[in-house]
Amino acid sequence: MGHSAGKSLICVLFFMLVLGGTVMAKETAKIGVIVVDVQGDFTKFKSGSLAVEGTDEAYIKTVEENTKKLKAAGFPIYATQDWHPKNHASFFTNHPGKKAFDVVKLNNRDQVLWPPHCVQKTSGAEILLDKKLFKAVVRKGMDSQYDSYSGFQDDGGKKTEMDKLLKKDKIKKVVVYGIATDYCVRATALDAVAAGYKVIMIKNLSRGVAPDTSQKAIDEMKAKGIVVLDDLDLERLKAN
Ligand code: VGL
Ligand code: ZN
C-alpha cells in the first residue's frame, strides 16, 4: 500500500468515526433533571405551612441521595423554587372571608386558595437540598396576580428562564420529581412535554397533596406520553 492509499484509508476511517459519533449523539438524547419545589413549607420535615403527606426527613434524604447520584452520573440538575410575595393572590389570607383550600375564580381560572407559603426570603421558602447540586434554580410565582405551578410559565403565560436554560444546555429529555405530584410536578412535566421535551416522572421521589388528584395527575401525564416510573433506574437512564 502506497503513501496516498494509506492516507485515504485513514481519511475514510476518520470520517466513519465522525459520522458514527454524530449518529450516536442523535440517538442518546441529552438528559437534564428538574427537582420541583423541595422547600420547607411543603414538608412535614420542616413543619411547613402547606406540608404535604409523606414529606418526612426520610423522603428528603432519599431525594437528596438520588439527586446526588444523578449529578455524579453527569446529568445537569435544575431546581424550581416557589417564591411568592406576601400579597400573593393564591394565599387565602389575601381574600377576606375565604379559608384555606377554598376555590375562587382568578383571571377566569379556578384558583385553589392555599395557606401562605414560600414567601420570598423566609425560611419556609428555602430549598432543602444542597445548593451545590444545582446548575440553576428557577424561581416562580413572583407575580402577585398569577400562580405558577409550572416551572416553565405562570398562569398569565409569562415564561420563566427554564426553557432557555435547557435549550442552552442542549437538553432533550428531562427527569422530573419533587413536590407536589398533583400541582407543581404535574404542571412542570406537562409543560415540558408541550415544549417538546421527552419526560420521565419519578413517582416514588414525588409526593402529592391528595391521593385522588395525584392519581388523576399520573393518568394525565401518562396520557400525554410522559413515562411514569416507580423508582429512578440510573443504569437504564445512563444507557438512555
Ligand atoms: C405548589 C401549591 C401552591 C407545589 C405550589 O409546589 O406543588 N402547590 N404552590
Ligand atoms: Zn405556591
Side-chain angles (χ1 to χ4, degrees):
M1 185 161 61
H3 248 93
S4 68
K7 271 188 192 160
S8 304
L9 186 63
I10 286 165
C11 245
V12 166
L13 285 172
F14 176 74
F15 278 110
M16 280 172 70
L17 236 139
V18 170
L19 250 156
T22 312
V23 170
M24 294 266 293
K26 278 216 173 111
E27 279 170 359
T28 52
K30 196 172 170 198
I31 300 170
V33 178
I34 305 177
V35 184
V36 177
D37 295 10
V38 180
Q39 295 170 259
D41 270 340
F42 295 129
T43 68
K44 301 266 181 195
F45 176 42
K46 293 288 178 185
S47 306
S49 60
L50 181 35
V52 170
E53 212 49 55
T55 56
D56 53 1
E57 184 170 14
Y59 165 70
I60 302 301
K61 281 228 165 87
T62 304
V63 169
E64 179 141 86
E65 272 170 29
N66 281 279
T67 308
K68 277 184 176 155
K69 281 183 194 161
L70 286 161
K71 187 178 167 66
F75 303 121
I77 321 287
Y78 310 84
T80 64
Q81 184 175 33
D82 217 30
W83 192 249
H84 298 310
K86 277 204 290 282
N87 63 345
H88 198 256
S90 76
F91 300 168
F92 83 87
T93 46
N94 293 321
H95 299 260
K98 297 291 174 192
K99 55 188 193 305
F101 307 106
D102 280 351
V103 179
V104 296
K105 281 283 177 202
L106 182 66
N107 304 305
N108 264 336
R109 301 171 64 122
D110 285 335
Q111 173 70 51
V112 179
L113 295 180
W114 304 103
H117 62 276
C118 302
V119 172
Q120 294 171 7
K121 297 179 192 172
T122 62
S123 62
E126 274 167 37
I127 293 176
L128 303 179
L129 311 175
D130 185 353
K131 301 309 169 293
K132 289 194 285 289
L133 286 168
F134 306 121
K135 182 150 193 192
V137 175
V138 173
R139 288 174 167 170
K140 61 188 179 65
M142 286 91 86
D143 185 330
S144 68
Q145 293 313 302
Y146 291 99
D147 213 347
S148 185
Y149 296 148
S150 165
F152 286 82
Q153 60 179 338
D154 73 15
D155 290 351
K158 189 173 190 300
K159 305 266 185 274
T160 65
E161 62 274 33
M162 182 67 82
D163 187 54
K164 268 185 203 161
L165 287 168
L166 298 177
K167 286 212 165 77
K168 190 178 70 192
D169 291 341
K170 305 218 156 59
I171 304 295
K172 304 280 186 254
K173 187 188 277 193
V174 289
V175 176
V176 182
Y177 56 83
I179 313 169
T181 306
D182 35 0
Y183 291 93
C184 293
V185 172
R186 169 189 175 276
T188 301
L190 290 176
D191 269 357
V193 165
Y197 300 93
K198 292 182 178 174
V199 181
I200 298 173
M201 184 270 182
I202 314 288
K203 215 163 135 179
N204 291 346
L205 294 180
S206 303
R207 294 290 184 269
V209 172
D212 56 334
T213 44
S214 294
Q215 187 53 53
K216 202 176 147 223
I218 301 245
D219 295 342
E220 230 180 324
M221 289 187 271
K222 285 181 178 168
K224 294 284 179 188
I226 294 168
V227 175
V228 177
L229 300 178
D230 283 342
D231 297 286
L232 177 73
D233 184 345
L234 197 60
E235 294 315 311
R236 206 181 120 184
L237 209 61
K238 280 194 224 171
N240 211 312

